[in-house]
Amino acid sequence: LYLREEAPLLGPPPADPGPGGEAADALRAALAAGARFWDDLARAVPAGREEAFAALWGLVWAGEATNDLWLPLRAPRRLPPAPRAPVRPGRRPGGARRGGLSPVAGRWSLASTLFEPAPAGPDRRRALAEVLLERHGVLTRAAVLAEGIPGGFSGIYTELGDLETLGVCRRGYFVAGLGGAQFALPGAVERLRSQREDAPASDVPEVLVLGAADPAQPYGAALPWPRREGTTRSPSRIYGAQVALVDGVPALYLERGGRGLLTFTDDDRALDAAIAALAAWVTGERRRRAAIERVDGAAALGTPWEARLAAHGWRSDLRAMILRA
């Protein structure tokens, strides 16, 4: 998400290549002429509305298309119904319409125009360095690589050194095991000091459920995933997957789609706290659902995991333990 006035300075985000095919090319051609509503875009794609809808959101996730409303981001990714027949004389055109969340509301346009005119290279690298410091608090080489920044850590190292000279950040060895080249905001350093191990421990674990790809979730980027002996499955920082952190350490990983769990610990206290947090996360949003078929690659039904999940609201089905809001 960008503030419009800062978009040229930050430049386009790293993204996978956009979708190909006739539908995507037709949408690019239509948007090149200016902002368009969904109905106009759907008519521009000869293959049909379904292909136009899939191609449009492919362009969005690739960073090629944007919208002037927040509404499409909050709406379910479902193709809206086709327009109704023309209204008969004597009726109001909008009388039969019903409001609701729509993934195609507003006007669509090409995102490339937001990044013009492009500033000089040093100015863009300086802005990236400042954004990454604010995003991570403590910036390490691994965190920059995980962001996909062109040039990696060395590409912004000079700018980070300049920010240190100005007193904006500090260079030091703040987190053990993450290499000596670390830069941190002063406020982040003070917060780290307040969380030293000699702080009084609490009997109640602190549990947090975060998206696996969230910058606030450091594992798989700035920190390695905890290793489990005898397991071959490795988690990924992908959109849709969730991680339950217990006292800052991963306990459970819910795969994208909610069909599999990966465990990082054998501590029953941590696992129960993580399951309770995942249950609260699933039931906290109307569209969420978790139908867990596997735990660490093995079937969940007929194992102690069936009772453990049932104790937190999951119910048995033919193949999975199901929980929905």
Side-chain angles (χ1 to χ4, degrees), residues 12-60:
D16 295 332
E22 182 183 3
D25 292 341
L27 290 178
R28 291 186 181 100
L31 293 173
R36 292 287 186 271
F37 290 104
W38 159 246
D39 290 340
D40 299 327
L41 294 176
R43 286 192 293 267
V45 177
R49 291 167 52 83
E50 292 80 3
E51 289 79 1
F53 183 76
L56 177 60
W57 276 98
L59 294 176
V60 172

Side-chain angles (χ1 to χ4, degrees), residues 187-245:
V189 175
E190 299 306 320
R191 292 187 66 180
L192 284 176
R193 287 173 176 162
S194 69
Q195 299 294 322
R196 290 182 185 273
E197 293 182 359
D198 56 3
S202 173
D203 293 333
V204 179
E206 182 180 354
V207 188
L208 184 64
V209 176
L210 285 175
D214 194 315
Q217 196 289 107
Y219 292 91
L223 298 174
W225 294 105
R227 292 185 178 181
R228 295 290 314 280
E229 293 185 3
T231 60
T232 57
R233 298 175 65 85
S234 178
S236 302
R237 291 178 59 89
I238 57 175
Y239 172 79
Q242 305 295 320
V243 182
L245 303 169

